[in-house]
Amino acid sequence: MAKIALSNQTILITGATSGLGRAMALALAPRGNRLIVTGRRAELLATLASEIEALGSRCLTAPVDATDEGAVAAHLTDAIGKLGRIDVAILNAGGGTALRLGTERASAVAVKESMARNYDTLVNYLVPLLDYMQSVGGTIAYTCSPAGSFGLPKSGPYSAAKAAGRVLFDTARIELGHTPIRFVALYPGFTYTEGLVESEIPFKFLIIEKERAVRQMLRAIERGTAHAMFPKRIAWPVRIGALIPEPIRRWFLRQVS
Ligand SMILES: NC(=O)c1ccc[n+]([C@@H]2O[C@H](COP(=O)([O-])OP(=O)(O)OC[C@H]3O[C@@H](n4cnc5c(N)ncnc54)[C@H](OP(=O)(O)O)[C@@H]3O)[C@@H](O)[C@H]2O)c1
């Protein structure tokens, strides 16, 4: 896939009020881009916009609940109207909390909230962007997760939502492979962000710093890597785990959970 440089581009980042999205926006800010940053928390977007502009990029903010299809459609129309185009969209909104099925906390409402936060937020941007970029071209990157590779203890609703997003994104890549859209699926392993609850991670050595994750994500977008899963100490066990027979995987995951 053709490489691009993430400079002098119009770049949309969802989930930019904190964590990986915010860090990607700040890493892209010194490169003379036009950044469209979004999330629900307006005050955090205003702070981010000042930081981005001080670093040398133009910034458009919009407080949008990405589960609201109409609000997202209006946001995209407004952003394209104001900046003329979107070259790169990084669909990053989401996140997860530990939920063990069969417990009181894992109500149907809580399980579906995870799907809304991680899947609906993807779909509401992805569908109109596919329509828009089919003719003009561009890059769509999606922050998925290694957790979307198979069901994980305490992570079922999040894994299910990320698996749904992964399959949808893979299908878009197949069906729109003949168009000028580049598709990049990002699978960061455990990363220190505002969204990470460290006490829920079984092995601390698996967690990486946010700056490292951002470097790898932006490099993958520039190269057009179809699937970027990292770090290796997460990627290899996950790839092997996905290949082994389900009863063996189930036995292993029961031992470590
Ligand atoms: N950190 C990790 O270990 C890790 C690993 C793999 C994948 N990921 C994925 O990376 C992405 C970023 O996560 P993070 O760790 O950076 O978490 P984070 O700091 O909690 O950031 C999550 C972002 O998503 C936004 N968001 C959530 N629900 C939204 C909604 N309904 N509408 C609009 N924006 C919404 C939040 O903004 P508002 O609250 O302001 O709306 C926030 O900006 C997520 O998709 C997550 O699943 C994270």
Side-chain angles (χ1 to χ4, degrees), residues 86-170:
I86 295 175
D87 301 307
V88 179
I90 306 177
L91 306 184
N92 168 77
T97 42
L99 271 185
R100 187 180 275 277
L101 294 172
T103 63
E104 203 178 326
R105 279 186 60 234
S107 64
V109 169
V111 171
K112 287 190 283 185
E113 192 279 330
S114 185
M115 190 58 95
R117 191 180 345 162
N118 288 286
Y119 183 72
D120 294 7
T121 55
L122 166 70
V123 173
N124 287 339
Y125 276 97
L126 179 65
V127 170
L129 282 167
L130 291 176
D131 193 32
Y132 167 69
M133 285 189 182
Q134 273 190 70
S135 48
V136 299
T139 298
I140 306 179
Y142 160 47
T143 311
C144 192
S145 169
S149 303
F150 41 79
L152 288 171
K154 290 194 273 185
S155 193
Y158 178 68
S159 289
K162 289 298 192 189
R166 175 176 58 80
V167 172
L168 187 75
F169 201 69
D170 283 351

Side-chain angles (χ1 to χ4, degrees), residues 20 23-24 27 210-219:
L20 292 167
M24 282 191 277
K210 192 164 50 185
E211 292 67 29
R212 176 173 169 191
V214 164
R215 265 198 314 278
Q216 298 213 221
M217 291 164 89
L218 297 183
R219 194 184 309 141

Side-chain angles (χ1 to χ4, degrees), residues 183-225:
F183 292 94
V184 178
L186 304 161
Y187 309 80
F190 299 118
T191 307
Y192 286 110
T193 64
E194 292 85 331
L196 184 90
V197 183
E198 200 180 332
S199 57
E200 289 169 358
I201 313 302
F203 308 110
K204 307 293 174 241
F205 74 93
L206 292 175
I207 311 175
I208 60 171
E209 295 301 328
K210 192 164 50 185
E211 292 67 29
R212 176 173 169 191
V214 164
R215 265 198 314 278
Q216 298 213 221
M217 291 164 89
L218 297 183
R219 194 184 309 141
I221 295 171
E222 290 192 316
R223 290 180 179 170
T225 310

Side-chain angles (χ1 to χ4, degrees), residues 46 70 78 118 130 134 243 251 255:
D78 179 68
N118 288 286
L130 291 176
Q134 273 190 70
L243 288 175
W251 174 85
Q255 306 311 305

